[in-house]
Amino acid sequence: MIPITEEFSSDEGLTRAEVRAKKRRRMMRRRRTTTIVIICILVFGIGGFFGVRAAGGVFDDLFGPKGDYEGQGTNEVSIEIAPGSSARTVANQLVEAGVIMNSEPFLDEVERRDATIQAGTWTMREKMSSKAAVEALIHPIAPPKITVAEGKQVEEIKSIMIESGMNTDEVDKAIDDKTPQDYGLDIDAPSLEGYLYPATYELNKQKTAEDVVQEMVDKTETELDELGIESKDANRILTLASLVEKESPGDPEVRSKVARSFLNRISDKSQTGGLLQSDATVAYIHGARSDLTTTKKERQSDSPYNTYKKKGLPPGPINSPSKGAVEAALNPADGDWQFFVATNPDTGETKFADNYEDHKKNVEIYRKWLREHRKDNG
């Protein structure tokens, strides 16, 4: 007599369709059990490291979350994709790194776009949508950047760095009370003012504030070398260039004449008693205004940067001058001018004079422009 199993006997009273459905459910359970057994063999048996990695991906597919993140992601992460990696291997790698929620939407997007994933180091973000992740692998995410414009002062550059996300204390530590010599540039200067080269710099999570400052100083050193400026002359030339940067427009001819005017003021033929009398340096002490005007009280300061009281050039630059301003300081025009005024600030038109009487006439032209300008603006 054939024994009747409990499973078989439990089918009694069921319709034929219900029996077929129950058989299908038993078959699905057996398949899942077989899959799990195979995974366990891979993990704990012959698979070794590669088995674990492969099994991890299978586990994710079977038991991981099935949704997808939304948007472009949050914190940046660096992903290293090895040569020959399959799309599924990359997908599992991104899941493990927290870039995408699970592999299937990512693989669907790769297939939809017929995308080819290249080996290399990629900048990704945590919690990216699959669409955003594939897009980042096709069109790489550009690293964040900061741009230091020509004529910026140290305090402005610090603000730019902090606004980019750098820690305030680290930025202060990297710049405050530091000189070019602290960053390997053998130039005697009172601070880093003028030595943080105006340019665009790439940032990443590995770069510290000191790393970025080092790049700026290195760039300054490179430019000095290219222009043939020796260390012993660098601070003087950059200081003059910073005045030219502040007091004149970008026209090369005007800038070279402004540089000559300043040099004439501190020469043996000076008509100002050896004083530069630059409002730009006084504004540097107290905080610059857009028109560089200063008050009588401000011009009484005992700061070494007060060129109304201290003869010669100030101790160091008052901003980061452009290459054009440095070239003007290196190659000043020939002439006897000692006075200049921008008679039309809108166009940058500047008039020069080699005596104070003619200068006063030019100043009147400027004052007339001011009156008309103020009238036009109510």
Side-chain angles (χ1 to χ4, degrees):
M1 183 176 179
I2 301 173
I4 299 175
T5 66
E6 182 180 27
E7 182 176 306
F8 179 81
S9 62
S10 65
D11 289 342
E12 292 180 353
L14 299 178
T15 66
R16 188 174 299 175
E18 289 172 333
V19 171
R20 286 199 299 268
K22 188 171 182 179
K23 287 181 179 179
R24 283 197 298 270
R25 288 196 295 272
R26 285 200 299 268
M27 186 179 299
M28 292 300 295
R29 283 198 297 271
R30 290 191 186 106
R31 287 178 179 176
R32 283 200 297 270
T33 301
T34 302
T35 300
I36 292 172
V37 170
I38 293 171
I39 291 171
C40 291
I41 292 172
L42 287 171
V43 174
F44 301 109
I46 63 172
F49 172 76
F50 294 103
V52 171
R53 289 298 299 272
V58 176
F59 271 119
D60 288 337
D61 290 342
L62 286 175
F63 308 114
K66 299 303 180 183
D68 194 8
Y69 294 123
E70 295 182 0
Q72 300 300 311
T74 56
N75 300 323
E76 288 188 357
V77 292
S78 182
I79 301 296
E80 183 76 30
I81 296 178
S85 296
S86 67
R88 181 166 290 279
T89 298
V90 173
N92 293 338
Q93 188 177 352
L94 295 180
V95 170
E96 292 171 9
V99 173
I100 57 175
M101 187 179 293
N102 73 88
S103 60
E104 292 308 318
F106 175 85
L107 294 172
D108 290 344
E109 184 68 16
V110 169
E111 183 177 358
R112 185 185 72 81
R113 300 185 63 164
D114 193 22
T116 300
I117 301 174
Q118 302 292 332
T121 302
W122 299 85
T123 298
M124 309 290 284
R125 298 190 184 98
E126 294 176 348
K127 298 184 178 181
M128 301 180 79
S129 70
S130 295
K131 182 177 180 180
V134 174
E135 176 65 22
L137 292 172
I138 297 174
H139 301 105
I141 297 173
K145 300 177 181 180
I146 60 170
T147 297
V148 177
E150 298 165 346
K152 289 294 184 183
Q153 297 176 352
V154 157
E155 289 303 317
E156 295 174 301
I157 296 171
K158 286 173 61 176
S159 295
I160 293 170
M161 294 173 69
I162 292 168
E163 288 170 4
S164 76
M166 294 186 192
N167 180 272
T168 300
D169 290 339
E170 291 182 4
V171 172
D172 289 342
K173 183 180 177 181
I175 293 178
D176 291 350
D177 301 320
K178 294 292 194 297
T179 70
Q181 293 178 340
D182 291 314
Y183 286 91
L185 184 54
D186 189 21
I187 293 175
D188 185 16
S191 71
L192 287 174
E193 190 75 83
Y195 293 89
L196 304 181
Y197 195 84
T200 297
Y201 300 90
E202 290 188 355
L203 308 178
N204 59 50
K205 294 181 69 175
Q206 287 71 43
K207 279 187 181 179
T208 64
E210 286 190 357
D211 292 335
V212 176
V213 172
Q214 185 68 65
E215 283 189 52
M216 295 178 182
V217 176
D218 289 345
K219 180 67 173 173
T220 296
E221 183 175 20
T222 298
E223 292 298 318
L224 291 173
D225 289 342
E226 289 183 358
L227 291 171
I229 300 173
E230 298 182 15
S231 295
K232 63 182 179 63
D233 300 319
N235 194 62
R236 174 178 57 82
I237 292 171
L238 289 181
T239 299
L240 176 58
S242 71
L243 299 180
V244 171
E245 182 73 45
K246 204 69 174 178
E247 296 251 27
S248 64
D251 182 86
E253 182 180 354
V254 172
R255 284 186 157 179
S256 64
K257 293 172 74 172
V258 168
R260 174 56 65 190
S261 298
F262 279 135
L263 291 174
N264 286 341
R265 287 187 195 181
I266 59 175
S267 70
D268 294 338
K269 298 180 180 179
S270 173
Q271 298 180 39
T272 60
L275 297 169
L276 280 177
Q277 296 183 342
S278 168
D279 284 326
T281 63
V282 179
Y284 177 71
I285 301 167
H286 300 283
R289 288 181 288 276
S290 59
D291 59 0
L292 292 183
T293 58
T294 58
T295 66
K296 183 177 180 180
K297 182 178 179 180
E298 288 172 340
R299 293 192 292 273
Q300 295 303 310
S301 168
D302 288 328
S303 167
Y305 286 86
N306 182 4
T307 54
Y308 279 88
K309 293 183 69 174
K310 308 294 182 179
K311 293 183 179 182
L313 291 169
I318 61 171
N319 57 56
S320 292
S322 63
K323 185 175 182 179
V326 176
E327 289 175 335
L330 265 179
N331 304 289
D334 293 328
D336 297 325
W337 318 284
Q338 294 200 25
F339 307 95
F340 60 90
V341 60
T343 53
N344 187 329
D346 281 347
T347 63
E349 181 182 357
T350 303
K351 290 189 178 297
F352 294 83
D354 56 16
N355 62 79
Y356 189 63
E357 290 302 316
D358 287 344
H359 177 60
K360 287 195 295 183
K361 295 175 184 177
N362 293 336
V363 170
E364 282 303 316
I365 298 174
Y366 168 61
R367 287 175 176 167
K368 180 182 177 183
W369 180 91
L370 277 179
R371 289 191 297 270
E372 293 175 350
H373 183 73
R374 289 168 180 166
K375 183 178 180 180
D376 291 342
N377 287 278

